[in-house]
Amino acid sequence: MDKIDILTIDDDRIVQKIVRKALEPHGFMVRTADDGESGLSQAVENPPEVILLDVEMPGMNGYQVCEQLAEHPEFKYIPIVFLSSHSSLHERMLGYEMGADDYIVKPFEADDLLARINVLLRYAKEQRELQAQIEIAQRTALEALSTTSELGQAMSFMESSLSFNTIDEAARGLLEVTGNLALDCRLMVTLEDRICWFPSEEQISPPWRRS
């Protein structure tokens, strides 16, 4: 069974060790980055399954990293968790506003970290599965609408054909249907003494007669 890839972006080496000790015995592979720039680069080049992100770091802080990750569509279903010593409501709300899925205050319990990550992973899996089902349903609906539209136009032509009085009316009715279906059509009608051509744009009836 493949291990779950976790990326920890934190300049505190002690926190990195704590995260490894808490997660690696439970089937996780923990990668680390010491600052925001290198963490962002790692995440983009090789997206993990969960990102643990410190707030205060040299250079790019955690909020900036989170904001930039949110601009990449591939991170839509990758949980981002802030690990921060800032515990104020303002700091927590700012973390969620930047796109984080959870906010854990340092120091934290290893069991709490593990439990929250597992919950987020299950939620992300459910979201991906739901999105896949939505896309399948949308494709099915579009195909059904397309088929229904084509069939409807064909049935409408068959009903209208009962009221056609001339070859010209029948030809124009058929060309209207093919035009609505984005088909380039040329219609040839063979009569007793001549052949009539009906293109999409205008009627052409060359005076060809059978010999």
Side-chain angles (χ1 to χ4, degrees):
M1 181 177 179
D2 294 335
K3 292 187 175 183
I4 299 170
D5 185 14
I6 304 285
L7 175 60
T8 302
I9 306 175
D10 198 313
D11 61 326
D12 190 334
R13 298 294 179 87
I14 295 177
V15 173
Q16 294 179 8
K17 291 180 180 179
I18 292 173
V19 171
R20 280 200 177 97
K21 186 176 180 180
L23 300 181
E24 286 183 344
H26 299 280
F28 294 88
M29 178 186 71
V30 179
R31 290 188 279 142
T32 60
D34 296 328
D35 56 72
E37 287 84 353
S38 61
L40 179 62
S41 178
Q42 276 198 53
V44 172
E45 291 176 5
N46 185 17
E49 292 174 76
V50 179
I51 297 174
L52 304 180
L53 183 58
D54 188 19
V55 173
E56 295 294 337
M57 292 182 290
M60 183 182 294
N61 65 39
Y63 296 135
Q64 293 170 323
V65 174
C66 188
E67 189 175 26
Q68 291 203 27
L69 288 174
E71 296 176 358
H72 295 265
E74 61 266 32
F75 290 95
K76 183 176 181 180
Y77 301 115
I78 295 178
I80 299 176
V81 181
F82 274 113
L83 300 180
S84 175
S85 58
H86 299 287
S87 59
S88 70
L89 178 61
H90 172 72
E91 294 287 344
R92 290 169 180 263
M93 293 304 297
L94 185 57
Y96 290 120
E97 288 176 8
M98 292 298 103
D101 299 277
D102 204 348
Y103 192 108
I104 300 176
V105 178
K106 301 175 184 177
F108 52 84
E109 295 291 335
D111 290 342
D112 183 42
L113 176 64
L114 177 63
R116 294 201 193 190
I117 288 177
N118 283 330
V119 168
L120 290 172
L121 284 170
R122 286 197 297 271
Y123 178 73
K125 180 181 178 182
E126 291 172 357
Q127 289 295 102
R128 286 193 293 267
E129 292 174 348
L130 178 60
Q131 182 61 35
Q133 292 173 4
I134 291 173
E135 292 174 357
I136 292 173
Q138 288 176 337
R139 287 197 300 268
T140 302
L142 288 174
E143 290 173 0
L145 287 173
S146 175
T147 302
T148 301
S149 176
E150 293 172 1
L151 179 60
Q153 291 193 57
M155 292 298 295
S156 178
F157 171 74
M158 294 298 294
E159 293 176 1
S160 300
S161 66
L162 299 176
S163 63
F164 295 150
N165 296 314
T166 65
I167 295 296
D168 186 76
E169 289 180 1
R172 289 304 164 193
L174 178 59
L175 290 173
E176 182 179 357
V177 173
T178 57
N180 291 336
L181 297 176
L183 299 175
D184 186 13
C185 181
R186 301 293 185 273
L187 177 63
M188 183 182 74
V189 178
T190 303
L191 303 175
E192 292 183 357
D193 59 346
R194 64 192 180 99
I195 297 176
C196 294
W197 290 87
F198 296 88
S200 300
E201 298 298 329
E202 58 179 330
Q203 179 178 345
I204 300 176
S205 299
W208 297 336
R209 296 180 180 275
R210 293 181 176 177
S211 58

